[in-house]
């Protein structure tokens, strides 16, 4: 068995809507090991995105325990959580969320800036990434000048540049056509083979099939 | 990293040209305004600062008590300076001085220059630098005169040695140049172009040796170790020691206070120009504040556009402090661009500004102080304006903004509305103040002066204008351009010779009323248009009226009830009142002028007044008058003043305040409107979907314009409510300084309110109409 990457121990998230308490996530128990490729499935509103955000530490569980690489995230301060996800987690979004004012090159470089990596080293790392994704020729273009598939490619390159252990992808192909979609999923499969742990949320059965494990969510519960 | 921020800043700038323009332009106007004001303030506070002995030099004015009130005069008895120097320890140097105008003639070249009779201590007090001659030998002979380099060059041309040359003065006296001093800076309180020995002035003038005549300007320098309070206390007692009377006190007025703290009320220092320096400094800061508010408003309004970026950056691992740093960097970059724009504006506007304020300000970017101030303004504006948007933007939660949720605008929109209200409050206060300042100036200018200042010119009496007066008068009248010629010893509009201690028949309490004395010819009243309310004026026959006097109404009141005609006034001699003149205004145009006693004696007149014929064009009239005077008084250049110009000059500081407050009111409104325009554009954009839905549901264009404008007008309405009491209170206080003043009318507030609303409406409705006319299909399709 591989190392345990993270574990959720009856983790819940509730929000107050007026006087009602609504459970977005209800007592989730989940172990993720390094090298897994997990697909989260379920209808809209079942809690897939919330679960991803909470695992990605952009959001917090309101109850239960969350351990990441042996560290107790649920009792951590903001600063330490930020350090942790900066180091180990990369995000890929459905709407790509590239910074419009930055070029492809600069978008990919951004996470490295926040990790205080030296300029020469950054150059080499970004060049490698551009090479690997075959987008060297596009490095000086702005996101608006790219197709959706290309933008997502840049999004993934940006997620990978920090050499994360875990990639969280929230419907990464939701805005793409089926051909672009397949290419992106192939890429994920390949990354997974290279050892990157991936958790993706998806509606599509065929995309989910790329994963090594499927988790179905309904009304915030694993079913 | 920082490069990355700068890159982003510039790209954002270009991508949103409209917003960037509003931001930069608003800030640039603010910085330009503030810079102009600070340049003016710098000039004002640097008066007299070029003299090295800043903490040693003092002027000596006197407080004098009349009618239980202490009034302050710029004159001292002649012997005071010498007595101060010999009797008060700590006073190192002292000189009495007397200001005078000299007509210098070299060959056929003649120029008029003012200067002072002084004694040698004057040179040390002001540390004058000699280019030619030596300061120790400058006043060795009574014929000596020291002139400034400028004067020397004008008389003899550049690069000429002038030491020892003879100067013809006023066409009758000879002076010998004993020195040339460096030119004096422009901003000094007591300017002079020459100095000559004081003895030459006092020779044969007995009054200059008496303690009873106040005529001299006295300057002193304290020794470096002297203690101001001790010396000042002794100076205050000196006149009483000399005369035995306690109603005059000389005191020390420091060189650093001459220009800006020269007003005294009842013996107490009450400020002067410093009030305006403070006022305008505050205005400069307020305008900068308005510009910064604009900046904050526009930045936070655009926050939704930036929210996504904030979310992504946070997800990429950026901490909040880095985002704050990034946004402040952006604000600083904009502030720097604004400063560059404002430097350009300053180059364009400074000449105009100089015209308005009648100064010679220079931008002086090579002056490190100017650069530092400009840099300081830029940094403060950038950081101050960037701080709120930075904290606001960086507080976004990545989960929310990345999900595409609407950023909750609650607190931000509240603050934004508050800022708009603040801006408009300031603008409305400016509008109201501008109207009231203008009204007050007009009010005083239209005051019934008791004489007619129109069609009246004044000439300085010089040469043989008195000896040849009768023939000059005849010739002037013969030209047809002049209808009447008057003579007087003092200027019509100014104070002048005055005194107290008169006695009159039936008079009581005569000691301490200050009376002005005027020595005029028979035609004076007619020439200046003063009105006799009782009795008659002086007759042409001088002998007949040599012991007659005219008095003003307020004087008649002092003499008690009943007609004043025939009553007697004792002043050296006994005089009979033959007529009463309506009170007229001179000296302080806002106050109540002292009673006046007119003598029929024109032999020592200094001013000639000419009433001109309105049917003759001014140019022609002047040529005719000049012809007559050149003929009879050929040695002196023809120089004249229109009395209404002199009158207008008396309102210089008020008019300056008026003009500046007008400019600043306009600019404050302009900047506020830029902000409002941006906000309206943003609101229209934000509500485009709502507008689309409403239109689909059948809303009319006018209905939508109303919907969008209403919110802004509410803000302006609130601003009006806040502004009115502030404006009323501050203007009420300002007006208290003037004895003759306007009442504040309620309709001024109405006008200001309506103006503000109209301006806001025009600004907002442009955007509202644009939004209302948009095709709903476009706005609904975007989601």
């Amino acid at each position: 068995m591989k190392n345990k990457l993270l574990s959720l121990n009856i983790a819940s998230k509730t929000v107050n809507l007026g006087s009602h308490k609504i459970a977005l996530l209800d007592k989730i128990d989940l172990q993720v090991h390094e090298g897994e490729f997990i697909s989260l499935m379920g209808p809209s509103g079942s809690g897939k995105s919330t679960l991803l955000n909470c695992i990605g530490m952009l959001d917090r569980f309101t109850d239960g325990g969350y351990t990441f690489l042996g560290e107790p995230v649920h009792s951590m301060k903001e600063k330490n959580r930020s350090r942790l996800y900066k180091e180990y987690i990369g995000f890929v979004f459905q709407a790509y969320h590239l910074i419009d004012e930055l070029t492809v090159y600069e978008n990919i470089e951004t996470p490295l800036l926040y990790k205080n990596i030296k300029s020469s080293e950054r150059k080499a790392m970004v060049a490698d990434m551009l090479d690997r994704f075959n987008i060297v020729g596009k490095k000086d273009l702005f996101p608006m000048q790219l197709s959706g598939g290309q933008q997502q490619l840049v999004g993934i390159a940006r997620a990978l540049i920090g050499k994360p252990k875990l990639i969280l992808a929230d419907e990464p192909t939701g805005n793409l056509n089926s051909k672009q979609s397949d290419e992106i999923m192939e890429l994920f499969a390949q990354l997974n083979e290279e050892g990157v742990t991936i958790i993706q949320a998806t509606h599509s059965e065929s995309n989910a099939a790329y994963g090594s494990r499927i988790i179905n969510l309904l009304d915030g519960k694993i079913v | 990293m920082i490069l990355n921020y700068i890159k982003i800043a510039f790209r954002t700038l270009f991508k949103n040209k409209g917003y960037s323009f509003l931001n930069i332009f608003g800030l640039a106007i603010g910085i330009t305004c503030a810079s102009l004001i600070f340049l003016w303030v710098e000039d004002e506070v640097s008066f007299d600062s070029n003299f090295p002995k800043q903490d040693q030099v003092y002027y000596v004015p006197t407080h004098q008590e009349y009618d239980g009130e202490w009034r302050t005069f710029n004159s001292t008895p002649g012997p005071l300076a010498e007595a101060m120097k010999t009797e008060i320890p700590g006073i190192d140097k002292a000189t009495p001085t007397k200001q005078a105008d000299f007509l210098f003639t070299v060959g056929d070249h003649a120029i008029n220059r003012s200067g002072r009779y002084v004694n040698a201590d004057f040179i040390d007090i002001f540390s004058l630098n000699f280019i030619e001659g030596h300061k120790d030998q400058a006043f060795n002979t009574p014929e000596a005169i020291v002139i400034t380099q400028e004067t020397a060059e004008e008389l003899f041309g550049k690069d000429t040695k002038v030491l020892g040359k003879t100067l013809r003065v006023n066409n009758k006296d000879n002076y010998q140049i004993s020195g040339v001093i460096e030119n004096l800076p422009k901003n000094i309180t007591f300017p002079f172009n020459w100095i000559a020995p004081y003895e030459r002035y006092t020779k044969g003038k007995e009054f200059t040796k008496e303690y009873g005549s106040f005529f001299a300007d006295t300057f002193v320098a304290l020794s470096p170790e002297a203690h101001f309070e001790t010396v000042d206390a002794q100076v205050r007692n000196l006149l009483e020691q000399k005369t035995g009377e306690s109603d005059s006190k000389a005191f020390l007025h420091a060189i650093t206070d001459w220009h800006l703290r020269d007003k005294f009320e009842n013996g107490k220092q009450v400020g002067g120009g410093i009030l305006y320096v403070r006022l305008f400094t505050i205005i400069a800061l307020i305008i900068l504040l308005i510009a910064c508010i604009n900046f904050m408003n526009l930045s936070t309004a655009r926050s939704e556009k930036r929210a996504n970026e904030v979310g992504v950056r946070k997800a990429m691992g950026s901490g909040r402090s880095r985002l704050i740093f990034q946004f402040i960097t952006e604000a600083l970059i904009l502030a720097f661009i604004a400063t560059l724009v404002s430097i350009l504006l300053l180059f364009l506007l400074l000449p105009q500004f100089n015209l308005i304020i009648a100064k010679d300000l220079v931008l002086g970017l090579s002056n490190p102080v100017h650069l530092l101030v400009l840099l300081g303004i830029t940094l403060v504006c950038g950081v101050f304006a960037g701080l709120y948007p930075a904290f606001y933007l960086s507080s976004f939660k990545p989960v929310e903004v990345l999900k595409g949720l609407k950023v909750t605008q609650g607190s931000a929109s509240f603050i934004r509305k508050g800022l708009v209200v603040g801006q408009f409050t300031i603008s409305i206060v400016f509008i109201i103040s501008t109207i009231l300042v203008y009204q007050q100036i007009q009010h005083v200018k239209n005051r019934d002066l008791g004489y007619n200042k129109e069609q009246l010119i004044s000439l300085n009496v010089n040469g043989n204008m008195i000896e040849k007066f009768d023939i000059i008068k005849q010739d002037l009248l013969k030209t047809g351009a002049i209808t009447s010629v008057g003579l007087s010893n003092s200027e019509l509009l100014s104070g002048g010779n005055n005194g107290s201690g008169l006695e009159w028949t039936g008079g009581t309490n005569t000691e301490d009323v200050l009376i002005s004395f005027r020595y005029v010819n028979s035609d004076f009243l007619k020439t200046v248009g003063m009105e006799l309310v009782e009795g008659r004026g002086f007759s042409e026959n001088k002998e007949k009226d040599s012991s007659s006097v005219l008095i003003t109404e307020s004087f008649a009141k002092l003499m008690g009830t009943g007609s004043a005609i025939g009553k007697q006034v004792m002043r050296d001699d006994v005089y009979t009142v033959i007529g009463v003149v309506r009170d007229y205004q001179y000296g302080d145009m806002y106050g109540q002028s002292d009673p006046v006693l007119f003598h029929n004696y024109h032999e020592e007149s200094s001013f000639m007044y000419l009433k001109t014929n309105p049917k003759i064009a001014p140019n022609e009239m002047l040529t005719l008058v000049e012809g007559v005077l050149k003929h009879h008084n050929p040695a002196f250049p023809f120089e004249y003043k229109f009395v209404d110009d002199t009158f207008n000059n008396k309102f210089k500081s008020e008019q300056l305040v008026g003009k500046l407050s007008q400019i600043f009111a306009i600019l404050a409104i302009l900047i506020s409107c830029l902000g409002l325009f941006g906000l309206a554009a943003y609101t229209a954009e934000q509500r485009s979907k709502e507008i689309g839905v409403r239109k689909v549901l059948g809303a009319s264009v006018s209905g939508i314009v109303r919907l969008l404008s209403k919110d802004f007008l509410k803000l302006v309405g609130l601003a009006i409510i806040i502004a009115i009491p502030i404006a009323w209170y501050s203007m009420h206080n300002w007006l208290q300084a003037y004895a003759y003043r306007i009442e504040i009318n309620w309709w001024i507030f109405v006008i200001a309110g309506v103006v503000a609303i109209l301006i806001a409406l025009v600004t907002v409705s442009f955007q509202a109409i644009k939004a209302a006319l948009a095709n709903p299909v476009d706005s609904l399709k975007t989601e």
Side-chain angles (χ1 to χ4, degrees):
Chain A
M1 199 69 187
K2 289 210 167 172
N3 291 334
K4 195 189 282 177
L5 184 66
L6 64 93
S7 68
L8 303 179
N9 185 17
I10 50 168
S12 302
K13 178 166 179 68
T14 52
V15 291
N16 294 321
L17 246 177
S19 54
H20 298 280
K21 262 196 167 178
I22 294 176
L24 298 180
L25 296 171
D26 196 2
K27 295 183 188 118
I28 305 276
D29 269 309
L30 180 67
Q31 319 285 322
V32 179
H33 293 90
E34 284 187 27
E36 279 199 273
F37 188 164
I38 295 173
S39 299
L40 294 176
M41 289 200 73
S44 294
S46 59
K48 304 187 295 289
S49 295
T50 312
L51 183 57
L52 279 183
N53 285 333
C54 287
I55 291 173
M57 301 174 212
L58 297 177
D59 211 345
R60 321 188 63 148
F61 294 107
T62 45
D63 263 311
Y66 173 20
T67 317
F68 188 91
L69 284 173
E71 296 194 60
V73 178
H74 54 269
S75 59
M76 258 182 199
K77 283 195 179 143
E78 180 72 40
K79 211 177 191 175
N80 291 328
R81 292 199 303 160
S82 159
R83 176 185 53 77
L84 206 60
Y85 80 71
K86 202 154 71 173
E87 186 70 31
Y88 297 113
I89 300 176
F91 294 91
V92 176
F93 305 97
Q94 175 179 0
Y96 331 127
H97 286 323
L98 301 176
I99 297 177
D100 289 343
E101 281 76 22
L102 296 182
T103 62
V104 166
Y105 181 97
E106 289 156 354
N107 263 296
I108 296 174
E109 187 189 27
T110 306
L112 300 179
L113 294 174
Y114 293 120
K115 287 181 148 184
N116 295 326
I117 289 170
K118 271 188 286 176
S119 157
S120 53
E121 224 173 303
R122 285 203 308 264
K123 260 186 201 157
M125 289 167 82
V126 177
D128 277 353
M129 199 54 72
L130 289 167
D131 233 8
R132 172 166 179 192
F133 285 70
N134 263 327
I135 45 176
V136 178
K138 303 207 163 50
K139 73 178 169 66
D140 291 325
L141 297 181
F142 288 93
M144 292 307 177
Q145 297 164 294
L146 302 177
S147 74
Q150 288 167 332
Q151 287 192 49
Q152 193 58 297
L153 218 53
V154 176
I156 295 170
R158 184 180 63 180
L160 282 174
I161 190 87
K163 300 201 168 58
K165 281 187 182 299
L166 173 66
I167 285 198
L168 298 171
D170 192 352
E171 303 206 27
T173 62
N175 288 8
L176 301 178
N177 62 33
S178 60
K179 182 168 173 283
Q180 292 169 328
S181 173
D182 286 343
E183 281 169 16
I184 295 295
M185 289 321 294
E186 290 290 344
L187 182 58
F188 274 133
Q190 192 189 332
L191 290 172
N192 183 240
E193 262 168 43
E194 291 167 16
V196 182
T197 314
I198 296 172
I199 305 177
Q200 67 160 337
T202 181
H203 281 293
S204 141
E205 295 278 349
S206 58
N207 285 354
Y210 283 91
S212 54
R213 172 149 70 117
I214 294 178
I215 294 171
N216 280 299
L217 280 174
L218 186 64
D219 294 339
K221 289 186 190 124
I222 294 179
V223 291
Chain B
M1 193 95 230
I2 189 120
L3 266 176
N4 187 285
Y5 294 158
I6 292 172
K7 242 187 288 184
I8 283 236
F10 274 102
R11 286 179 193 156
T12 318
L13 202 80
F14 284 114
K15 216 172 140 191
N16 306 286
K17 288 192 189 70
Y19 280 110
S20 310
F21 173 78
L22 292 181
N23 254 343
I24 292 173
F25 191 58
L27 205 52
I29 294 176
I31 293 174
T32 308
C33 259
S35 306
L36 289 176
I37 294 177
F38 289 148
L39 281 173
W40 176 78
V41 167
E42 184 196 28
D43 184 74
E44 286 289 300
V45 300
S46 68
F47 256 73
D48 302 310
S49 65
N50 283 44
F51 298 118
K53 294 180 180 168
Q54 283 291 305
D55 47 357
Q56 285 162 263
V57 175
Y58 295 86
Y59 179 76
V60 186
T62 49
H63 295 312
Q64 297 173 24
E65 192 182 22
Y66 294 100
D67 230 0
E69 200 175 313
W70 289 90
R71 294 162 70 165
T72 305
F73 296 88
N74 270 355
S75 54
T76 42
L80 185 73
E82 193 54 36
M84 287 172 79
K85 190 175 168 184
T86 49
E87 292 171 31
I88 300 176
I91 292 184
D92 224 9
K93 308 273 177 195
T95 174
T97 70
K98 178 66 189 167
Q99 197 267 337
D101 285 336
F102 274 6
L103 178 81
F104 292 119
T105 318
V106 173
D108 51 3
H109 184 48
I111 56 170
N112 234 328
R113 285 290 175 271
S114 71
R116 276 175 191 277
Y117 292 104
V118 305
N119 71 28
D121 276 4
F122 189 86
I123 296 169
D124 284 321
I125 291 173
F126 289 105
S127 316
L128 302 178
N129 292 322
F130 279 69
I131 298 171
E132 283 188 64
H134 191 275
K135 76 182 180 79
D136 295 333
Q137 280 117 45
F139 278 12
N140 277 355
T141 62
E143 287 77 33
I145 188 167
V146 173
I147 57 177
T148 61
Q149 190 182 13
E150 206 172 9
T151 313
E153 280 172 4
E154 261 181 77
L155 286 169
F156 299 99
K158 274 194 178 183
D159 302 323
T160 318
K161 290 271 172 248
V162 300
L163 195 67
K165 290 201 175 174
T166 301
L167 266 182
R168 187 97 177 131
V169 169
N170 292 346
N171 234 24
K172 56 183 201 294
D173 303 318
N174 283 333
Y175 282 77
Q176 198 174 29
I177 298 173
S178 62
V180 177
I181 51 167
E182 280 177 11
N183 289 330
L184 298 159
K186 281 220 173 62
N187 50 354
I188 58 179
T189 311
F190 297 100
F192 53 92
N193 297 291
W194 53 264
I195 47 175
Y198 182 65
E199 306 92 73
R200 186 147 183 185
Y201 171 72
T202 55
K203 202 172 155 203
K205 296 191 178 74
E206 268 315 301
F207 73 88
T208 59
K209 312 209 162 41
E210 297 162 1
Y211 271 99
S213 308
F214 289 72
F215 70 93
D217 294 309
T218 301
F219 296 90
V220 300
L222 269 49
S223 58
E225 61 276 4
H227 191 245
F228 168 77
E229 273 81 16
T230 324
V231 177
D232 187 51
Q234 284 170 285
V235 172
R236 281 171 194 261
N237 287 329
L238 195 59
L239 280 175
E240 190 176 347
Q241 284 168 27
K242 296 290 170 193
T243 63
E245 293 184 31
S246 61
D247 59 357
S248 293
K249 292 186 193 304
F251 64 100
L252 297 180
H253 190 217
I255 186 167
T256 45
D257 290 346
W258 288 354
H259 182 59
L260 292 174
R261 295 177 192 83
D262 60 344
K263 284 232 159 54
F264 297 87
E265 230 166 62
N266 216 3
K268 295 261 168 357
Q269 228 249 46
V270 292
I274 190 72
L275 296 179
Y276 287 121
V277 168
R278 290 203 191 112
L279 180 70
F280 282 117
T281 307
I282 292 171
I283 289 178
L285 295 177
I286 288 177
I287 287 182
L288 275 182
L289 180 71
I290 296 186
C292 285
I293 288 178
N294 243 9
F295 193 94
M296 295 184 210
N297 256 345
L298 291 173
S299 310
T300 50
R302 275 176 49 219
S303 57
E304 245 167 67
K305 293 206 167 179
R306 301 300 295 274
N308 196 53
E309 182 187 335
V310 171
V312 174
R313 283 186 183 273
K314 281 198 168 174
M316 295 297 115
S318 170
R320 187 168 177 198
S321 54
R322 286 196 169 183
L323 285 167
I324 291 175
F325 182 70
Q326 177 188 346
F327 288 120
I328 288 182
T329 310
E330 275 184 26
L332 278 173
I333 289 169
L334 281 182
F336 267 106
I337 298 174
T339 303
L340 292 180
V341 173
S342 89
I343 288 174
L344 196 72
L345 287 175
L346 282 170
F347 266 114
L348 294 172
L349 296 178
L350 200 54
Q352 312 298 320
F353 187 65
N354 276 332
L355 277 184
I356 292 173
I357 61 169
K359 288 207 183 208
D360 243 346
L361 305 180
V362 285
L363 193 49
L365 280 179
S366 51
N367 181 342
V369 176
H370 289 196
L371 272 186
L372 278 178
V373 169
L374 207 54
L375 192 71
I377 294 177
T378 313
L379 289 178
V380 170
C381 279
V383 171
F384 178 67
L387 214 52
Y388 172 67
F391 272 90
Y392 174 67
L393 284 170
S394 65
S395 70
F396 292 157
K397 295 224 166 59
V399 177
E400 288 166 20
V401 292
L402 292 181
K403 251 188 224 162
L405 287 182
K406 277 253 185 302
V407 180
T408 41
Q409 291 273 344
S411 71
S413 82
F414 181 74
I415 289 176
R416 209 153 52 224
K417 283 175 183 166
L419 293 176
V420 169
V421 171
Q423 279 184 320
F424 267 82
T425 303
I426 296 168
S427 302
I428 294 163
V429 171
F430 274 140
I431 296 176
I432 295 173
S433 313
T434 307
I435 299 175
L436 285 173
V437 170
Y438 178 79
Q439 276 193 327
Q440 168 69 4
I441 293 172
Q442 289 307 312
H443 181 62
V444 177
K445 279 184 150 183
N446 296 332
R447 183 177 193 178
D448 180 8
L449 292 171
Y451 46 84
N452 185 359
K453 63 186 186 331
E454 314 296 328
Q455 304 287 338
L456 192 61
I457 59 177
S458 78
L459 312 174
N460 287 345
V461 168
N462 47 31
N464 43 22
M465 279 164 75
I466 296 291
E467 292 141 54
K468 291 190 166 181
F469 176 67
D470 289 330
I471 179 88
I472 290 176
K473 180 179 154 188
Q474 260 178 35
D475 285 357
L476 283 173
L477 296 177
K478 232 187 279 169
T479 62
I482 300 301
T483 58
S484 175
V485 184
L487 283 173
S488 168
N489 69 319
S490 342
E491 221 183 327
L492 181 58
L493 294 164
S494 310
N497 197 351
N498 54 20
S500 62
L502 295 194
E503 288 174 43
W504 49 76
T505 40
T508 50
N509 193 23
T510 58
E511 265 301 309
D512 58 359
V513 179
L514 195 64
I515 308 279
S516 288
F517 305 119
R518 298 288 180 266
Y519 301 86
V520 300
N521 71 340
S522 55
D523 280 347
F524 178 75
L525 293 191
K526 185 176 114 194
T527 308
V528 302
M530 283 183 193
E531 196 185 316
L532 269 171
V533 289
E534 214 186 344
R536 61 171 179 89
F538 294 128
S539 70
E540 294 266 349
N541 183 347
K542 265 200 313 197
E543 268 66 59
K544 188 183 154 205
D545 272 337
S546 64
S547 62
S548 304
V549 287
L550 298 173
I551 57 174
T552 54
E553 276 178 301
S554 49
F555 198 139
K557 223 175 271 168
L558 285 176
M559 294 179 88
T561 50
S563 170
I565 307 294
K567 288 190 179 171
Q568 293 193 315
V569 177
M570 270 68 81
R571 185 188 177 217
D572 311 327
D573 218 330
V574 179
Y575 297 92
T576 311
V577 176
I578 57 162
V580 179
V581 178
R582 198 153 69 85
D583 275 333
Y584 71 97
Q585 208 55 41
Y586 62 92
D588 176 11
M589 288 296 152
Y590 301 97
Q592 205 61 52
S593 301
D594 297 320
V596 183
L597 182 72
F598 294 96
H599 288 278
N600 185 22
Y601 178 78
H602 72 237
E603 275 69 13
E604 292 196 7
S605 292
S606 307
F607 297 92
M608 182 182 278
Y609 287 94
L610 307 178
K611 187 73 178 177
T612 64
N613 182 349
K615 290 189 191 110
I616 310 264
N619 284 340
E620 199 186 330
M621 177 271 294
L622 288 171
T623 321
L624 290 169
V625 172
E626 182 173 11
V628 171
L629 284 164
K630 276 274 168 209
H631 179 70
H632 294 293
N633 195 26
F636 287 81
F638 175 62
E639 284 170 357
Y640 62 92
K641 280 181 200 149
F642 283 94
V643 174
D644 49 358
D645 287 344
T646 316
F647 176 77
N648 286 339
N649 274 339
K650 297 206 109 188
F651 300 95
K652 248 160 88 184
S653 73
E654 279 76 17
Q655 244 156 353
L656 177 66
V657 175
K659 276 184 197 158
L660 290 183
S661 70
Q662 219 169 318
I663 296 172
F664 297 138
I666 292 171
L667 288 177
I669 294 165
L670 180 66
I671 300 175
S672 305
C673 282
L674 287 179
L676 197 62
F677 186 82
L679 275 189
Y682 158 78
T683 315
E685 189 183 308
Q686 244 214 338
R687 296 174 76 171
S688 62
K689 199 169 157 197
E690 176 197 340
I691 295 165
V693 173
R694 282 176 190 271
K695 278 189 91 170
V696 170
L697 295 178
S700 68
V701 170
S702 64
I704 287 171
V705 172
R706 219 175 311 135
L707 176 82
L708 287 173
S709 309
K710 200 178 62 194
D711 288 347
F712 286 107
L713 291 187
K714 273 189 211 153
L715 299 182
V716 176
L718 184 60
I720 293 172
I721 293 169
I722 299 173
I724 284 175
I726 298 175
W728 182 85
Y729 178 76
S730 49
M731 291 315 287
H732 180 76
N733 276 354
W734 180 72
L735 284 171
Q736 294 310 304
Y738 302 99
Y740 185 74
R741 59 176 178 253
I742 50 164
E743 293 295 313
I744 301 179
N745 275 319
W746 58 269
W747 55 262
I748 290 164
F749 300 115
V750 176
I751 288 183
V754 169
V755 167
I757 287 177
L758 280 180
I759 291 173
L761 203 60
V762 168
T763 311
V764 173
S765 62
F766 176 77
Q767 292 293 343
I769 291 169
K770 202 172 118 190
L773 289 177
N775 186 348
V777 176
D778 295 331
S779 54
L780 293 179
K781 201 167 57 181
T782 51
E783 291 289 313

